[in-house]
Amino acid sequence: MTRTLFEKIWQTHLVAETPSGAALIAIDRVFLHERTGAAALKRMAEMGRTVHDPARVFAVMDHIVDTRPGRGDGTLMQGGEGFITETRAATKAAGITLFDVNDKNQGIVHVISPEQGIVLPGVTLVAPDSHTCTQGAFGALAWGIGSSEAEHAMATGTLRLDKPRTMRVTYEGELPQGVTAKDMVLALIAEHGAGGGAGHVVEFAGEAVAALDMEARMTLCNMATEFSAMTGLIAPDAKTYEYLAGRPYAPADFSDPYWQTLTSDAGAHFDTEIVIDAASLAPMVSWGTSPEHTIPVTGSVPQGPEKVHRYIGLEEGTPLAGTPIDVAFIGSCTNSRISDLRRAAAILKGRKIAPSIKKAMVVPGSLSVKRQAEAEGLDKVFTDAGFEWRMSGCSLCFYAGGEGFPEGSRTISSTNRNFEGRQGPGIKTHIASPETVAASAIAGAIADHRNYAALNSHEEEPA
């Protein structure tokens, strides 16, 4: 019988099946963050339950911590310090590894887990965060859960699940120059809707996916949740094992034949198949209040719900390029890794952001990424251009009452969500690749980064 990669991981981790058809699945890794982790551990302690295997549970301070240089436990979010100190105490009591506020390996959970080799091909990994699907880029079954499910996973090493359906999204051919993994997934969601993957585990495949490096694959899988999928995943290959080699929590080698079985068999059945011509894709930018409200940067705003047009302030037929912006943001678990920063810096080098930009920020995905970028001089490229260079964290990707942008600003952002108020009260977020954010910051308006990539700082800028 031929099986998909998902089915192989599912069967390997299947503990039992209930009469109703639900399954009990073994969980290999649990990752907590300070927004919900302390509460889950506190409830377990109150009920007299302990963590089944503390070595398989990790925690990080990333969601509420400030990204301001020189930060400590104090935050701009009211009550934020309590989340931090309580998580620190609870993880210590439970014997859980914690990446604390200024630990040298601190960072956004979905960035540091791969950096540390905590996620591995074929494992099951859960965290109370919907973008846990990012880690499916390593051939892992990784998905977001609730706080009570985190308690169950920590106490028993298992979770009860209904088996999802399977979907394969195949990107055939080669990507055009300047088109990124972010554009690939935004094009998918724009064409098939934000609910297109509901009830499915999505496997990304095809020549264009195989050509992506690991950091780009993480971007692709990161937004599977914006497609309403349970998770996304990509079969591991030589790039995967090369990336993981030598990481602190990775095995010494991957010579065990098991690793070579982690691919969908030829002829394996998927419940749904989608095929996309990679050569037809272009840089994408969102125009509305959902990732499905996305068009090529060269396009015009289509007709949509009246309330969406009213919130975003763009009428049908308006060219997207040239729309003035107030804020430029590069960060989040989607696009804040070293390759993202390098590509954005290549656009910005020798240039300045437009005087009309009220705020421009770069938030590296981890302190490791921050150090590497500084060693390469990328921080100076950003600051010379007019960007602020920040510490790692999630707080500027989603608004929790702490850090934010001027109310009502129009923002070009490398994040994953453009919901109403996602980045603050009245903020109008346009999601795009880091390159597009950089080019738009220079132009002071949404811009096609391909017009800048071929130029150097001594040549005439695009109109």
Side-chain angles (χ1 to χ4, degrees):
M1 180 182 296
T2 59
R3 295 182 296 166
T4 66
L5 170 60
F6 160 71
E7 288 165 336
K8 291 178 181 182
I9 300 173
W10 181 272
Q11 288 296 325
T12 301
H13 290 80
L14 182 63
V15 176
E17 292 181 304
T18 68
S20 66
L24 196 64
I25 298 295
I27 304 300
D28 297 317
R29 309 279 191 276
V30 180
F31 226 123
L32 307 174
H33 57 75
E34 81 279 25
R35 198 175 185 211
T36 57
L41 291 169
K42 183 178 179 181
R43 280 192 296 267
M44 288 179 65
E46 289 172 348
M47 298 177 74
R49 294 180 176 141
T50 58
V51 177
H52 174 68
D53 186 353
R56 294 175 180 239
V57 182
F58 303 83
V60 64
M61 309 290 198
D62 67 346
H63 270 61
I64 291 171
V65 294
D66 284 355
T67 63
R68 296 174 298 172
R71 71 180 178 197
D73 291 352
T75 70
L76 293 175
M77 173 185 166
Q78 187 175 1
E81 184 172 353
F83 284 96
I84 292 170
T85 55
E86 289 173 16
T87 298
R88 184 178 295 130
T91 54
K92 182 177 181 181
I96 293 170
T97 298
L98 171 67
F99 300 96
D100 212 333
V101 176
N102 288 312
D103 184 293
K104 67 182 180 69
N105 294 318
Q106 182 272 347
I108 299 171
V109 53
H110 317 305
V111 176
I112 67 169
S113 177
E115 281 181 351
Q116 296 299 308
I118 292 169
V119 65
L120 295 171
V123 306
T124 52
L125 185 151
V126 295
D129 187 287
S130 59
H131 292 104
T132 303
C133 52
T134 306
Q135 301 179 59
F138 293 85
L141 185 59
W143 71 99
I145 57 173
S147 183
S148 59
E149 290 177 299
E151 295 173 44
H152 190 282
M154 287 190 287
T156 69
T158 64
L159 276 179
R160 181 183 182 277
L161 289 172
D162 293 321
K163 189 175 183 180
R165 298 188 297 277
T166 57
M167 176 187 292
R168 179 164 57 189
V169 177
T170 303
Y171 292 86
E172 293 184 338
E174 295 183 10
L175 290 173
Q177 188 72 25
V179 177
T180 71
K182 183 74 159 283
D183 305 314
M184 293 169 70
V185 70
L186 284 173
L188 168 69
I189 298 168
E191 182 176 351
H192 295 277
H200 291 80
V201 166
V202 176
E203 180 173 340
F204 295 105
E207 300 99 312
V209 174
L212 298 175
D213 63 29
M214 292 310 302
E215 296 190 348
R217 294 181 189 184
M218 284 185 255
T219 295
L220 188 63
C221 289
N222 175 270
M223 294 189 66
T225 188
E226 313 309 334
F227 193 44
S228 297
M230 172 192 169
T231 190
L233 76 170
I234 297 171
D237 59 13
K239 291 180 182 179
T240 313
Y241 300 119
E242 182 179 353
Y243 178 97
L244 291 169
R247 306 279 176 177
Y249 291 91
D253 64 71
F254 294 94
S255 59
D256 190 306
Y258 167 72
W259 303 105
Q260 310 311 314
T261 68
L262 296 174
T263 185
S264 291
D265 296 329
H269 171 74
F270 290 84
D271 296 305
T272 306
E273 293 264 15
I274 293 175
V275 178
I276 295 175
D277 176 14
S280 69
L281 302 181
M284 306 290 284
V285 181
S286 72
W287 64 267
T289 57
S290 164
E292 72 180 9
H293 299 147
T294 300
I295 57 175
V297 66
T298 53
S300 297
V301 175
Q303 182 180 17
E306 182 182 345
K307 66 176 184 178
V308 174
H309 287 290
R310 186 168 58 249
Y311 182 85
I312 206 68
L314 294 175
E315 297 181 359
E316 179 187 353
T318 302
L320 195 54
T323 301
I325 59 167
D326 306 303
V327 172
F329 176 73
I330 297 173
S332 86
C333 57
T334 314
N335 283 123
S336 62
R337 297 171 182 85
I338 190 64
S339 58
D340 298 312
L341 303 190
R342 286 170 180 158
R343 297 196 312 273
I347 300 291
L348 289 164
K349 190 171 183 179
R351 298 185 170 105
K352 301 285 187 183
I353 65 174
S356 59
I357 301 293
K358 298 174 184 176
K359 196 174 277 288
M361 293 182 177
V362 179
V363 176
S366 71
L367 294 188
S368 295
V369 170
K370 183 175 184 289
R371 287 191 301 274
Q372 186 172 355
E374 290 168 350
E376 296 178 15
L378 303 184
D379 60 321
K380 193 170 189 309
V381 173
F382 286 113
T383 55
D384 285 351
F387 277 77
E388 294 181 39
W389 181 248
R390 293 288 193 117
M391 301 285 281
S392 174
C394 302
S395 61
L396 286 160
C397 174
F398 79 103
Y399 184 72
E403 295 183 299
F405 307 121
E407 187 169 346
S409 297
R410 186 178 297 279
T411 302
I412 186 83
S413 176
S414 73
T415 52
N416 39 51
R417 288 180 174 160
N418 54 329
F419 304 158
E420 291 188 23
R422 167 71 176 181
Q423 290 189 280
I427 300 295
K428 303 172 180 67
T429 297
H430 296 272
I431 49 179
S433 69
E435 296 96 315
T436 299
V437 175
S440 301
I442 297 165
I446 295 175
D448 187 340
H449 73 86
R450 293 173 298 184
N451 293 333
Y452 290 81
L455 300 174
N456 62 43
S457 60
H458 302 295
E459 294 178 306
E460 185 179 350
E461 295 298 325

